[in-house]
Amino acid sequence: MSDVQSYLLKVDKDKEGAQQIADQTAYGLASKEKSLIDVVQSLGEYINDEHASTRSKAITYLSQVISALPNATLSRQQVQVLCQFFCDRIEDGGAIGGLRKLQSLSRFNKEMAIMTFRALVEHFQDLMIRPHTQRLQILELLNDLMLNHRPALKSLGDEAIVGITDLVSGEKDPRSLMIIFSILQVLMVEWDVAAKAETLFDSAFCYFPITFRPPPDDPYHITAQDLKNRLRGCIAASSHFAPFAFPQLLEKLDSTSPNVKKDVLQTLTACATSYSLAAVSNWSITLWDSLKYEILNVQEEDLAEDSLETLQAIATTLGKDLSSINQTTHLARFLRSITDECKEQLREPQHKKAKPAGQILSSLAATSPIALFLVVKAMVPPLLTLYQDADSIASQKALLEVLVQICNAAVLDDELSGVTRPSADAEQPLTPFKDRLFELFSQVLMSSPSEEVTFRIVALKGLLRLCQVHNYLQSSEIGMIVQYLDEIVLTEDPNGREEVKNEAIQALVEISKSKHQLIMDITFPAFMANLPDHSVPDQNDYIVTLEGLARLSIEKTISDTLVRRLLSKLETVLQHDGQASYAQALFSTIEYVLSRRDLATDSNLSNYHEKIVVVYVCRAALASVGSGPQALIEPDTLEILGRLAGRIIHALDEHKRQSVAVETYTLFTPEETSFNSVIYRQGLSEEHRRTMILSTWMLASVGQAADALYTVADDVNFDSLLNELTRLALVETIPLIRHYVLKQIALLVNRSPTSQGLSVALHVMFNPFQAAQVDPTSSTDVTHVVFWIAKALLLRLAHIREVLDHLLGLLADNSYGSVSARGFALLLAPDEMLSKRYGGNIRLLAKQKVFSICVPRIAADFRAAEANLKPNYLIALSGILKDIPTEVTMTEIATMLPLLLQSLDLPDQAVKAATIESLAVISQESPEAVESHISSLVNRLLQAASKPAENIPRVRFNALRCLQIFPGKIKDSVLLPYRPGIIKGLLPMLDDPKRNVRKMAVECRATWTNMDEPE
């Protein structure tokens, strides 16, 4: 049996086997065991068979044989013969694959390319009625010819244009359309299309607008936007299309579909950008007449924005390479028609069309220096006149906003690159109006009634824009504006005027970017003078001043000066025994300023270490034993100082961090002082013990350099230090101090460099009282120690099974079960100190491992637990889930759902809120899992959303949000039986005391009310 016979017998039932036969034949040809003539002759009776399917299979066999050949196998003559053969048989099908292979060969010449193209065109009517998979192959062949043999096709001139437009007509498959649009765009850009412009344009525009929606799980990943972008490139490819594109696009702009209108506007923008100046100028006024309706009568904000972008594109094209401000240019005529319209709209500044008119002027003025000049000359004088004649603040505000928008355009114009500008001696267009604008904005800002907040903010923004226009105001004038802004921040009554203060501070920040010396000379002295040397109880005016200074400290020069002056002020406050809250505010401001700096590369880092960390940590330590300002030993002060010190220490090099680590407990105090470290001592005062806050921050910030602290004394090692910290945690009665001691324990364990240290930590976790040598009856907080050590071990995946077995076993303990259940929320919760930033051992798979072990075990133990212990397992599950990524939780949905539903019946509000949040995620990601529980879930969520006396706002809000997710995610047929009850059940929530809950109730009820009925 010949190869072709074997192929024909197999091809319908075993395509892979048929391909192997073709590959074997190709191997024979390549190895000279067979000749091409013999292979072709073996097809004789089959390629002449009366059945088209047999002929097609025979040709396909030959195509697959040719495709499997190495590229150099065929001679030029053989390529010529095969090309002619396939072209003659192209209507039988199967030839396309062979032609695609042949055209890729170096011996495939220009004549063969033309022959192939003409064969496609000659039989296009037959080819285009084939299944879309075969049509796709034909278009891929045409695309190959365009890629590899473009000069050959280009030599055919109009013949190629007509042929290609015939071949690409009437297609619907998105894969084919992507190829068609690519082919057409090459044709439109590289060919001389003037004579066939309308034909070519129609071949593309017949597909506009694209309404394609990809099916779910589309394997080709072709989106509607992909098709729109390709088609848009075709429509905008040649200026010859302007007479056809613009009128037809404007006609479609009348569509009632927002999507179609958006597509039209974006295509108009593409055309205006790529067409020639002559083509755009001929249609510019017509386009404006259509676009102005979309902008002035704004119905959809995004459509108005797209229309503005189209106008900008037109103005940019008309102003390209233009250096003359002559009123006879295309740009001048275009802008004149627009400014005339805008003048009319602005005669009634309170009318709804006035604001978009201002947006039009601003958008166009920002396109080029020439456009700015023309807009300013046409609009600023009448705007100033209209402002002068306005009879109300509302009208003045509307006109002022337009002036500010034009000033903003001048700022944007300065930032334009690659544009032609007027001659160097040409005046800035706003210069003739400088004094009037400066006076106008200043008067409104400083003289208007304080309750006119928005009016004053507009004027403030106007002054800022004048400062930002390049070389417009003199330094003295900008300095005056800075003084105005300082006065607003420092002296105005903040009650109800925060918006103006915030805008003033932000304006100072913007000015500091280009004029930081003015800020240093004017603002800093004024702000610092406003800070008291010591604060008065119940007065915190300094907060606004410090916030302003902090926000101004963007430039390094400014922030360096600020830190120096704040440290000086802090010293004065401490010397005068000022309020602790004032010292805290100063420390917080310094910390905020330094947080915006890359301290590791800062030249002042060493200075900060010496003058902030060493000095103030030492002084706080001495204050704890009565030898310093008591403001430094307040808990809030210590926390802020600790965070500030930690930020600086973390940026130090390894060597310096080691020297800091040695001082973790001595806190830089000299040996001769009365301060002693807290560890290994008993009976210390609360103030003294509070220094553990600073020790903890130091331990966290030194990172792996913490090992150096074991060298502080011969008897200090990992084991003894861990045991001592455990003792301190167990006997400490002040929650804040205990919290920081527990963090020290976790830091120590998590960073332990040896496996022996981890084993010691595990022993302490199992037997904390024994390790600490503390009487079990003297402490009720042993679980805190257990869970913090567990957290440290789990994050580094050390002894994970032993740890979790122990913790899960505690849930069944009648004494510790309840408090242990809440401890699970700690295990995976993010912690600022126990993090990679501070050198923690945090393994990527920690959360997945904990989840995969805990959830099945909790579910199993829950079923076997006594009734009074069951809540412990539900609380533990909730604590774990809140920090687990969604993709991980989805793996155990079936196990978790029944437990989560029962968690909704617990009185604990934090557990209930976390449970509802987990259910919301599951409903979105895996709605099918929720369907079987929908009845009990709906009832429980309605209960959780009601009863404000029992459920906190977070629970009520999340319950409503979860209910709102169901329609659209869960099948309507499942939900419809519950719709009437839910709509009725949501009525009480419409009167909830919390506004966000009422709003969510309205949205939730609307979602269920509008749910589609089944067809």
Side-chain angles (χ1 to χ4, degrees):
M1 183 182 295
S2 67
D3 286 351
V4 66
Q5 289 175 318
S6 301
Y7 179 91
L8 293 174
L9 287 172
K10 278 198 171 188
V11 69
D12 288 332
K13 298 178 182 178
D14 183 7
K15 293 190 180 299
E16 289 187 9
Q19 180 64 55
Q20 290 176 358
I21 294 171
D23 292 344
Q24 290 171 2
T25 305
Y27 178 79
L29 287 173
S31 61
K32 308 297 184 183
E33 295 175 8
K34 297 181 180 179
S35 68
L36 183 60
I37 286 226
D38 293 338
V39 173
V40 173
Q41 286 179 345
S42 69
L43 299 174
E45 61 179 295
Y46 304 108
I47 59 175
N48 295 311
D49 194 275
E50 60 181 9
H51 295 101
S53 63
T54 303
R55 298 198 301 272
S56 176
K57 292 171 188 174
I59 300 297
T60 301
Y61 164 71
L62 181 58
S63 292
Q64 290 183 348
V65 171
I66 299 303
S67 298
L69 287 174
N71 287 345
T73 302
L74 299 174
S75 66
R76 183 177 297 278
Q77 183 179 8
Q78 288 174 322
V79 173
Q80 171 76 33
V81 170
L82 285 169
C83 181
Q84 184 69 60
F85 176 81
F86 283 131
C87 287
D88 291 343
R89 297 283 179 173
I90 202 168
E91 73 277 10
D92 287 333
I96 300 299
L99 288 169
R100 288 197 69 189
K101 171 66 177 182
L102 292 177
Q103 67 80 33
S104 68
L105 302 177
S106 59
R107 291 167 180 157
F108 189 89
N109 58 25
K110 175 181 177 180
E111 289 72 24
M112 298 177 202
I114 293 174
M115 180 198 310
T116 303
F117 175 74
R118 284 175 170 163
L120 288 172
V121 173
E122 184 179 345
H123 296 92
F124 89 92
Q125 289 184 331
D126 171 62
L127 298 175
M128 288 300 104
I129 61 173
R130 293 185 178 180
H132 68 84
T133 52
Q134 293 185 25
R135 295 200 307 274
L136 178 62
Q137 291 179 334
I138 294 165
L139 291 169
E140 287 173 338
L141 172 58
L142 180 59
N143 192 51
D144 291 340
L145 293 174
M146 289 288 284
L147 285 172
N148 302 322
H149 305 282
R150 194 173 302 171
L153 300 189
K154 201 169 184 179
S155 68
L156 296 176
D158 288 352
E159 179 186 349
I161 295 175
V162 174
I164 289 173
T165 53
D166 286 341
L167 284 170
V168 301
S169 61
E171 190 52 69
K172 293 182 180 179
D173 182 71
R175 290 174 297 165
S176 299
L177 287 173
M178 291 291 282
I179 296 173
I180 286 171
F181 296 151
S182 294
I183 293 171
L184 287 176
Q185 190 167 3
V186 170
L187 198 64
M188 294 163 171
V189 172
E190 298 189 14
W191 263 251
D192 179 6
V193 299
K196 297 291 182 181
E198 187 171 7
T199 300
L200 258 181
F201 175 79
D202 289 343
S203 68
F205 198 78
C206 65
Y207 295 108
F208 188 92
I210 297 292
T211 56
F212 167 71
R213 286 188 179 182
D217 304 319
D218 176 25
Y220 309 114
H221 304 294
I222 297 174
T223 66
Q225 193 59 49
D226 293 332
L227 292 168
K228 288 178 181 180
N229 291 341
R230 289 273 179 99
L231 177 56
R232 193 172 296 146
C234 293
I235 297 171
S238 172
S239 297
H240 294 295
F241 297 158
F244 318 112
F246 286 136
Q248 293 193 55
L249 286 169
L250 291 177
E251 182 180 341
K252 291 187 182 293
L253 193 58
D254 294 331
S255 169
T256 57
S257 167
N259 288 333
V260 172
K261 291 170 83 79
K262 189 174 185 67
D263 201 2
V264 169
L265 291 168
Q266 291 178 349
T267 306
L268 282 171
T269 301
C271 293
T273 301
S274 63
Y275 288 175
S276 66
L277 186 151
V280 174
S281 65
N282 288 337
W283 289 89
S284 60
I285 305 300
T286 304
L287 290 167
W288 157 244
D289 288 338
S290 297
L291 292 170
K292 68 182 179 183
Y293 178 84
E294 299 295 332
I295 303 171
L296 296 174
N297 301 279
V298 56
Q299 296 173 332
E300 300 278 348
E301 286 292 340
D302 57 339
L303 294 180
E305 290 174 7
D306 287 334
S307 300
L308 284 172
E309 288 181 12
T310 305
L311 283 181
Q312 284 183 304
I314 296 170
T316 301
T317 298
L318 296 181
K320 197 175 294 180
D321 301 327
L322 193 63
S323 59
S324 169
I325 54 178
N326 194 307
Q327 294 291 328
T328 61
T329 62
H330 295 299
L331 176 62
R333 287 199 296 268
F334 173 63
L335 291 178
R336 191 180 306 122
S337 63
I338 295 176
T339 54
D340 288 346
E341 177 72 31
C342 291
K343 284 177 193 174
E344 289 299 316
Q345 301 300 339
L346 290 168
R347 292 186 190 280
E348 299 181 45
Q350 289 184 268
H351 194 273
K352 66 177 184 178
K353 293 183 180 180
K355 184 176 180 179
Q359 293 172 335
I360 292 171
L361 295 171
S362 175
S363 298
L364 293 175
T367 57
S368 70
I370 304 297
L372 174 67
F373 182 93
L374 294 169
V375 170
V376 168
K377 185 176 181 181
M379 292 305 304
V380 173
L383 282 170
L384 291 173
T385 302
L386 287 170
Y387 181 88
Q388 195 69 35
D389 297 338
D391 56 2
S392 69
I393 288 182
S395 296
Q396 290 178 329
K397 179 168 120 12
L399 293 166
L400 209 63
E401 284 177 336
V402 179
L403 286 169
V404 173
Q405 287 174 320
I406 292 174
C407 293
N408 187 55
V411 176
L412 296 175
D413 179 77
D414 288 336
E415 298 171 357
L416 289 175
S417 59
V419 297
T420 304
R421 297 185 180 275
S423 57
D425 58 348
E427 189 178 52
Q428 218 288 346
L430 284 171
T431 298
F433 313 103
K434 183 178 79 169
D435 293 341
R436 183 73 184 96
L437 290 172
F438 187 92
E439 178 189 1
L440 183 61
F441 291 144
S442 300
Q443 186 179 32
V444 172
L445 177 62
M446 303 308 294
S447 302
S448 295
S450 58
E451 59 269 15
E452 294 294 342
V453 174
T454 56
F455 191 28
R456 297 181 66 209
I457 287 176
V458 172
L460 190 154
K461 290 181 177 178
L463 287 173
L464 174 60
R465 296 295 175 262
L466 295 185
C467 293
Q468 292 174 320
V469 176
H470 184 61
N471 291 336
Y472 187 58
L473 295 183
Q474 297 177 4
S475 289
S476 60
E477 292 168 320
I478 298 177
M480 190 176 297
I481 292 173
V482 170
Q483 289 181 44
Y484 291 158
L485 299 173
D486 292 347
E487 183 179 337
I488 290 171
V489 176
L490 297 177
T491 65
E492 285 199 5
D493 179 7
N495 294 328
R497 308 286 178 264
E498 290 297 332
E499 301 98 323
V500 181
K501 280 184 179 287
N502 288 333
E503 289 291 342
I505 293 173
Q506 188 56 43
L508 287 170
V509 170
E510 293 298 321
I511 293 171
S512 72
K513 294 176 182 178
S514 57
K515 300 288 183 181
H516 67 267
Q517 193 58 47
L518 283 175
I519 301 298
M520 299 280 291
D521 295 342
I522 300 173
T523 299
F524 260 50
F527 275 49
M528 294 304 297
N530 199 57
L531 290 175
D533 288 339
H534 56 87
S535 60
V536 179
D538 301 324
Q539 290 188 12
N540 58 354
D541 295 345
Y542 55 82
I543 294 293
V544 174
T545 306
L546 289 174
E547 285 179 355
L549 286 168
R551 289 173 61 182
L552 280 170
S553 62
I554 294 177
E555 298 296 322
K556 186 178 184 301
T557 307
I558 295 176
S559 62
D560 286 344
T561 304
L562 176 59
V563 171
R564 286 197 304 271
R565 296 190 182 182
L566 289 179
L567 288 173
S568 175
K569 181 63 69 175
L570 179 62
E571 190 60 33
T572 304
V573 171
L574 295 176
Q575 286 177 0
H576 287 80
D577 202 20
Q579 292 289 311
S581 58
Y582 191 17
Q584 291 158 18
L586 290 168
F587 276 129
S588 290
T589 305
I590 296 171
E591 198 272 333
Y592 175 80
V593 171
L594 296 185
S595 71
R596 303 164 81 181
R597 302 267 290 273
D598 181 9
L599 286 177
T601 60
D602 198 304
S603 58
N604 289 320
L605 178 60
S606 179
N607 188 45
Y608 293 150
H609 170 59
E610 293 297 329
K611 291 190 175 181
I612 297 177
V613 177
V614 175
V615 169
Y616 286 102
V617 168
C618 175
R619 290 182 69 180
L622 295 176
S624 73
V625 292
S627 300
Q630 289 305 293
L632 286 176
I633 202 60
E634 288 293 321
D636 289 343
T637 308
L638 291 171
E639 287 195 280
I640 298 167
L641 175 58
R643 181 174 282 103
L644 170 60
R647 185 174 297 281
I648 296 170
I649 294 168
H650 180 64
L652 296 172
D653 59 41
E654 182 73 14
H655 176 71
K656 284 190 176 181
R657 277 190 279 123
Q658 287 179 350
S659 67
V660 171
V662 174
E663 301 283 355
T664 298
Y665 297 106
T666 55
L667 302 179
F668 306 105
T669 54
E671 290 184 6
E672 64 272 13
T673 62
S674 58
F675 178 81
N676 293 308
S677 64
V678 175
I679 58 173
Y680 303 114
R681 287 176 175 81
Q682 299 182 25
L684 300 178
S685 68
E686 178 186 334
E687 289 78 9
H688 198 154
R689 301 199 309 276
R690 283 181 197 162
T691 60
M692 289 298 276
I693 296 173
L694 295 175
S695 295
T696 306
W697 276 107
M698 290 173 63
L699 183 64
S701 57
V702 295
Q704 297 298 333
D707 294 349
L709 70 90
Y710 305 142
T711 64
V712 72
D714 294 338
D715 59 341
V716 177
N717 54 48
F718 178 88
D719 300 11
S720 66
L721 184 57
L722 179 58
N723 290 337
E724 170 61 8
L725 291 173
T726 303
R727 182 190 70 79
L728 290 173
L730 290 173
V731 301
E732 181 57 62
T733 57
I734 306 300
L736 179 66
I737 301 175
R738 181 172 62 241
H739 176 73
Y740 275 93
V741 174
L742 290 168
K743 283 199 172 193
Q744 281 194 43
I745 293 171
L747 288 167
L748 210 63
V749 172
N750 184 258
R751 293 173 180 168
S752 172
T754 65
S755 57
Q756 181 183 354
L758 297 178
S759 299
V760 171
L762 192 66
H763 171 73
V764 174
M765 190 189 84
F766 288 156
N767 307 282
F769 291 116
Q770 178 186 342
Q773 296 182 354
V774 171
D775 183 357
T777 61
S778 66
S779 174
T780 59
D781 295 312
V782 64
T783 54
H784 291 92
V785 174
V786 171
F787 276 89
W788 274 99
I789 294 177
K791 178 183 182 74
L793 293 170
L794 292 175
L795 289 177
R796 62 183 293 173
L797 292 180
H799 301 289
I800 185 167
R801 288 204 173 271
E802 296 114 299
V803 171
L804 290 175
D805 283 345
H806 181 64
L807 298 184
L808 291 167
L810 291 174
L811 296 176
D813 191 289
N814 285 310
S815 301
Y816 295 110
S818 178
V819 67
S820 297
R822 283 169 176 76
F824 278 80
L826 170 71
L827 295 179
L828 300 175
D831 187 90
E832 182 179 3
M833 294 184 186
L834 206 59
S835 62
K836 284 196 172 184
R837 177 174 180 266
Y838 282 122
N841 287 318
I842 314 297
R843 301 289 292 275
L844 286 175
L845 293 177
K847 292 184 177 182
Q848 289 90 323
K849 285 280 189 181
V850 171
F851 177 83
S852 63
I853 293 173
C854 282
V855 172
R857 171 78 180 273
I858 287 175
D861 290 356
F862 173 83
R863 289 190 290 270
E866 298 176 12
N868 65 313
L869 296 176
K870 285 183 181 290
N872 295 347
Y873 296 92
L874 301 178
I875 293 170
L877 177 64
S878 172
I880 291 172
L881 289 182
K882 70 181 180 64
D883 297 305
I884 299 293
T886 302
E887 59 271 18
V888 177
T889 60
M890 291 300 106
T891 59
E892 293 284 352
I893 291 176
T895 304
M896 293 190 305
L897 259 178
L899 300 181
L900 291 175
L901 289 172
Q902 294 186 61
S903 297
L904 290 177
D905 298 329
L906 296 175
D908 189 304
Q909 294 295 293
V911 172
K912 190 179 290 188
T915 299
I916 294 173
E917 288 166 6
S918 298
L919 287 169
V921 171
I922 293 171
S923 300
Q924 287 180 314
E925 301 294 330
S926 184
E928 63 280 355
V930 176
E931 288 182 1
S932 58
H933 302 278
I934 197 67
S935 177
S936 56
L937 187 53
V938 162
N939 292 330
R940 284 180 164 96
L941 288 174
L942 280 174
Q943 287 292 318
S946 61
K947 302 178 182 177
E950 297 180 13
N951 297 310
I952 60 174
R954 178 184 165 200
V955 168
R956 304 198 303 273
F957 178 86
N958 285 335
L960 291 168
R961 189 170 69 89
C962 191
L963 278 171
Q964 189 191 23
I965 290 170
F966 293 165
K969 290 292 183 181
I970 297 172
K971 289 182 288 196
D972 288 355
S973 57
V974 174
L975 296 179
L976 279 170
Y978 304 97
R979 184 167 72 165
I982 289 175
I983 293 173
K984 182 179 179 181
L986 288 171
L987 283 172
M989 292 67 149
L990 301 178
D991 296 321
D992 192 277
K994 291 294 183 180
R995 182 176 178 274
N996 66 328
V997 177
R998 293 196 301 272
K999 185 173 182 289
M1000 180 54 68
V1002 171
E1003 294 175 1
C1004 180
R1005 197 165 186 269
T1007 302
W1008 279 87
T1009 302
N1010 298 329
M1011 197 174 73
D1012 292 335
E1013 296 280 354
E1015 296 178 357

